[in-house]
Amino acid sequence: MGRVRQLSRYPVKSMLGEDLDQAYVDETGIAGDRAFAVLDCLTGKVASAKNPRLWRDMLTVRSTLLPSDATGAPAVRLTMADGTTETVTVTGHRDPALSTMLGRDVRLLDRAAPGATIERMDPAQVRTEDDLSSAQTGSSVLAAGSPPGTFFDFAPLHLMTTATLAGLAAHSGRPVDAGRFRPNIVVEVPDPGAGFVENLWPGRRLRIGSDVVAEVVVATPRCVVPALRHGEGEPDVALLQVLSRHNRLRLAGVGVLPCAGVYARPLEFGVIRSGDPVEFC
């Protein structure tokens, strides 16, 4: 069916991540993916760029997983847009460097509390960049399809195909970077003009490489994050309208929403590598 073209993890939720040559996958997805999140000390909510009024700058910071420090505390290196770096650990207290970086009192978490929530902006209300500062936000519970304590929006793995990226590029008239959608795995499929092929995957199982089997759960409803600035990339609010026009799907219990990519749940664990075959099983 295809091959693993790109393999990525995002050590801190809503920050830029790192591409990998190989990764271990278990019930919590790719090792180190969304291992951390930022907690807003004022609201008690997990920070997410889905509320760009407060957190859009998180997508200009690159996170890199580090070994635990000398005390055994989990650690992550953050690289700011100007190239400066900070090493941040989980301490249970306000982190001065991270708070200065984001302009609010925050600290780093390595486990989500039961019922942890994020604020998310309604993408249907975002038609211009100005809307990113004024559209309404609501709350959603994290990790409804993932093991307790994790920071995933829903399920532990997120996949997209090169056909979907090519379709978005054709409809928008410009290349579309997969990083805007933050997938763990980009699957290169034989027919790049096939369109949103993964729409047909929910309910099926995929074997990725020789070890990993994952069940595709549901198409991924898109939030405002693809419209935001990622690193040095410019905002692209029009991308939300492209999805709304060309790939709206009915999701059980949710409604009809613009989608791109699919969520999956690992069933059999092991190592996946860039270039590994992806097939139905």
Side-chain angles (χ1 to χ4, degrees):
M1 184 188 72
R3 291 190 174 273
V4 175
R5 177 175 178 176
Q6 182 176 318
L7 185 61
S8 305
R9 69 181 175 194
Y10 309 87
V12 179
K13 184 175 182 62
S14 277
M15 292 187 182
L16 302 177
E18 48 192 351
D19 293 338
L20 306 170
D21 293 325
Q22 66 178 38
Y24 182 76
V25 176
D26 63 14
E27 65 178 358
T28 61
I30 288 176
D33 186 44
R34 277 79 170 190
F36 302 95
V38 173
L39 181 74
D40 185 344
C41 296
L42 178 62
T43 66
K45 294 182 182 292
V46 172
S48 170
K50 290 177 175 58
N51 179 3
R53 279 202 298 270
L54 294 180
W55 307 114
R56 71 178 75 186
D57 287 347
M58 292 180 71
L59 288 168
T60 67
V61 181
R62 186 165 301 281
S63 60
T64 305
L65 199 65
L66 296 175
S68 298
D69 68 9
T71 67
V76 64
R77 182 173 66 243
L78 306 182
T79 304
M80 275 61 80
D82 63 3
T84 59
T85 64
E86 293 281 355
T87 297
V88 180
T89 60
V90 176
T91 64
H93 305 288
R94 173 187 180 274
D95 187 276
L98 195 55
S99 297
T100 298
M101 182 193 314
L102 298 177
R104 290 176 70 88
D105 286 344
V106 297
R107 62 185 178 92
L108 197 65
L109 299 176
D110 62 354
R111 184 171 178 82
T117 62
I118 59 171
E119 293 178 336
R120 56 184 301 142
M121 186 171 283
D122 181 0
Q125 297 185 25
V126 178
R127 296 187 175 275
T128 70
E129 285 188 45
D130 289 342
D131 294 335
L132 293 171
S133 299
S134 60
Q136 295 179 352
T137 60
S139 292
S140 62
V141 177
L142 288 175
S146 300
T150 56
F151 295 109
F152 301 108
D153 290 333
F154 183 65
L157 287 177
H158 178 214
L159 298 86
M160 292 189 74
T161 65
T162 51
T164 285
L165 293 168
L168 290 170
H171 290 307
S172 62
R174 58 192 176 279
V176 175
D177 181 13
R180 287 189 175 274
F181 297 91
R182 303 171 64 77
N184 298 117
I185 302 171
V186 176
V187 180
E188 185 171 12
V189 294
D191 183 1
F196 301 95
V197 295
E198 60 266 45
N199 289 354
L200 303 177
W201 293 2
R204 304 196 68 174
R205 293 184 176 186
L206 302 176
R207 181 170 293 280
I208 307 170
S210 59
D211 298 337
V212 175
V213 172
E215 178 184 20
V216 180
V217 181
V218 68
T220 307
R222 301 318 317 192
C223 58
V224 299
V225 167
L228 304 178
R229 180 188 303 277
H230 287 65
E232 297 179 355
E234 293 299 316
D236 190 358
V237 172
L239 194 56
L240 299 178
Q241 279 70 60
V242 170
L243 279 172
S244 186
R245 287 194 298 269
H246 297 287
N247 200 45
R248 291 173 63 85
L249 302 177
R250 183 172 296 280
L251 304 181
V254 181
V256 179
L257 296 172
C259 297
V262 289
Y263 283 125
R265 180 184 299 117
L267 301 177
E268 297 180 17
F269 312 145
V271 176
I272 55 177
R273 298 172 177 85
S274 180
D276 271 352
V278 180
E279 55 192 357
F280 294 119
C281 62

